[in-house]
Amino acid sequence: MQLALKHLVAPDTAAPKPSAEVLLTIPNGKSVLLENVSWQAFETLLVELGEHRAARVAYDQGILEIMVPLTEHEYYKEAIAVLVQDLADVVDIDYETLGSTTWKRQDLLTGVEPDNCFYFQNERVIRGKLDFDLSQDPPPDLVLEIDVTSKSLDRLPIYARLGFPEIWRYEKGQIKIYQLQGKAYVETSTSLAFPTFPVQQIVPFIQQHRAAGKKAIRRAFRDWVRQQIETA
């Protein structure tokens, strides 16, 4: 993927000054880390990239990461996300999913785009909203991060500063659950969103049924969740 980046200025510069265009070639599965990027440059980059693009970005106090995912990344992002929605439907929990929305706060000089994000506990609070301000609105209750390729920028501190209560991280064929305690995340075995459900079994379930196709996976998963409820 090729990106033409403009207006890269230091974060302490009062007003951005035009700079030479920087052409970056980022192979799939790789990321680029840029330093001394101002908040305004970050905002401009988001506009230039647009909403419909493969790259994902994260920004942390002047450091900008741009990552282009692999096909494997996109598969598990979609597969896990759709099963989370199926799970919520079967257990009858209201939810909202907002995909890779850019969540940011200028006062914290922090911004991030998750692979997917969901509202469960706070769904009623944000129901029907299309514009969000994290200085006033609650962040999503659950974030999905797919780590097929190593990211250069640690995103957990970014999520912590923005106040995201829970992260599911897919890594090396399994889901790890992290919950915000104080100012840092702690790995745990149970989910705040689905405290009685064996979240760690979602990925093995996908792997077991992957050859059958997405429709068959979803049908089998819903039946499996019902069985879990009946035997609980």
Side-chain angles (χ1 to χ4, degrees):
M1 179 177 182
Q2 282 195 335
L3 297 174
L5 305 182
K6 304 176 182 178
H7 311 304
L8 298 183
V9 296
D12 58 351
T13 302
K17 299 177 182 179
S19 59
E21 181 176 276
V22 178
L23 183 64
L24 294 179
T25 300
I26 309 175
N28 290 349
K30 301 296 182 181
S31 63
V32 169
L33 205 64
L34 303 173
E35 298 182 352
N36 297 323
V37 178
S38 72
W39 180 263
Q40 187 164 350
F42 170 57
E43 293 269 30
T44 301
L45 174 65
L46 292 175
V47 174
E48 292 176 349
L49 289 177
E51 295 183 0
H52 304 289
R53 31 102 179 167
R56 292 284 174 265
V57 303
Y59 181 86
D60 187 18
Q61 299 177 344
I63 299 176
L64 172 69
E65 181 186 50
I66 306 172
M67 187 272 291
V68 179
L70 291 169
T71 302
E72 180 184 357
H73 175 284
E74 296 298 277
Y75 176 85
Y76 280 102
K77 178 188 76 171
E78 296 298 330
I80 296 172
V82 76
L83 293 192
V84 170
Q85 295 172 70
D86 285 342
L87 174 58
D89 284 339
V90 174
V91 300
D92 197 23
I93 296 177
D94 288 324
Y95 67 91
E96 184 59 80
T97 176
L98 293 174
S100 297
T101 297
T102 306
W103 301 97
K104 57 188 178 178
R105 282 186 57 174
Q106 184 174 0
D107 58 324
L108 300 177
L109 293 178
T110 297
V112 67
E113 295 175 340
D115 288 309
N116 214 317
C117 58
F118 306 86
Y119 282 95
F120 295 107
Q121 298 95 312
N122 283 307
E123 184 276 337
R124 185 175 295 275
V125 177
I126 60 87
R127 185 177 296 175
K129 287 181 65 69
L130 296 178
D131 296 311
F132 293 82
D133 180 353
L134 287 188
S135 66
Q136 302 176 17
D137 299 312
D141 299 302
L142 174 63
V143 159
L144 179 62
E145 277 284 316
I146 307 297
D147 285 344
V148 172
T149 56
S150 59
K151 297 181 175 74
S152 302
L153 184 61
D154 186 0
R155 297 186 173 206
L156 290 187
I158 298 176
Y159 285 119
R161 279 197 292 278
L162 293 175
F164 287 74
E166 181 171 3
I167 297 173
W168 291 3
R169 174 183 276 178
Y170 169 84
E171 186 177 9
K172 296 180 180 179
Q174 60 181 323
I175 290 177
K176 294 183 178 181
I177 302 171
Y178 297 90
Q179 292 174 8
L180 185 61
Q181 296 185 11
K183 296 182 179 181
Y185 287 97
V186 175
E187 186 175 352
T188 181
S189 59
T190 58
S191 168
L192 293 171
F194 302 99
T196 63
F197 185 79
V199 170
Q200 291 83 354
Q201 295 185 34
I202 291 178
V203 171
F205 187 92
I206 293 172
Q207 293 169 338
Q208 180 182 354
H209 294 82
R210 191 173 67 199
K214 190 66 65 65
K215 182 179 179 180
I217 291 176
R218 296 187 65 181
R219 184 185 299 116
F221 182 76
R222 284 173 173 261
D223 290 341
W224 180 58
V225 172
R226 293 186 186 99
Q227 293 173 4
Q228 295 289 320
I229 296 172
E230 292 173 359
T231 58

